[in-house]
Amino acid sequence: MMDIHEIRKQLPHRYPFLLVDRVLELEKGKRIKALKNVTINEPFFGGHFPNRPVMPGVLMLEAMAQAAALLAFDTAGVTMDDKTVYYFAGIDAARFKRPVEPGDQLLMEVELDRVRAGIYKFKGVIRVLDVVVCEAELMCTMRSVG
């Protein structure tokens, strides 16, 4: 549905912070399904943790937020530009069910719950091989800058 080249046109993030590799499904105004391939070459594994590499939970939340941003841009019918930024506004009910390690593939499913006063609220879940590893409610907003 959307490869890395299309994702880079929509998100301002770049290495090492672009955390969505592919969009598998996108239903405007409703949901998105996206992938993140986790490799031993991720820069955070050198320090988290040297003897047992584990993906930080906050980066799983960031990956979900990036998928949510792709859904929000599509829903609003806008494309990312130098004057539009998508910010986190809140995180609720975040739960981490099991560690994510090198070689795992994150399947992120994010649903748009509602939009009110410019605040988008999403429910997201990340699975690895059909096992839930992370879930959360995310709130984000688009803002014009400069």
Side-chain angles (χ1 to χ4, degrees):
M1 171 103 219
M2 190 182 293
D3 65 17
I4 194 64
H5 306 291
E6 291 298 315
I7 292 167
R8 287 172 50 96
K9 289 177 186 173
Q10 291 297 318
L11 293 178
H13 307 80
R14 294 296 177 260
Y15 177 85
F17 227 68
L18 180 57
L19 300 174
V20 178
D21 293 327
R22 180 172 299 274
V23 173
L24 302 174
E25 299 174 15
L26 196 154
E27 192 175 346
K28 187 181 198 92
K30 293 191 178 187
R31 64 183 195 84
I32 189 169
K33 188 183 284 189
L35 290 178
K36 162 68 178 146
N37 295 304
V38 181
T39 73
I40 191 62
N41 298 319
E42 305 286 351
F44 48 80
F45 282 139
H48 199 269
F49 302 98
N51 296 326
R52 182 68 179 193
V54 175
M55 184 175 188
V58 295
L59 293 181
M60 287 186 260
L61 295 172
E62 175 64 26
M64 264 198 293
Q66 290 179 21
L70 291 168
L71 176 57
F73 280 132
D74 185 71
T75 298
V78 299
T79 56
M80 192 270 304
D81 58 32
D82 291 340
K83 295 179 183 172
T84 305
V85 179
Y86 195 73
Y87 290 116
F88 251 138
I91 302 169
D92 292 321
R95 298 289 180 264
F96 304 99
K97 306 290 188 171
R98 86 154 179 84
V100 170
E101 300 176 332
D104 285 343
Q105 185 178 63
L106 305 183
L107 177 62
M108 299 173 281
E109 296 180 73
V110 179
E111 294 181 2
L112 178 60
D113 188 34
R114 69 177 180 256
V115 181
R116 192 172 294 148
I119 304 290
Y120 290 73
K121 185 167 184 182
F122 302 92
K123 291 184 180 180
V125 63
I126 299 176
R127 290 182 178 83
V128 172
L129 297 175
D130 293 328
V131 175
V132 174
V133 297
C134 177
E135 56 191 7
E137 297 172 5
L138 310 171
M139 288 167 282
C140 305
T141 188
M142 278 185 253
R143 293 287 185 248
S144 295
V145 295

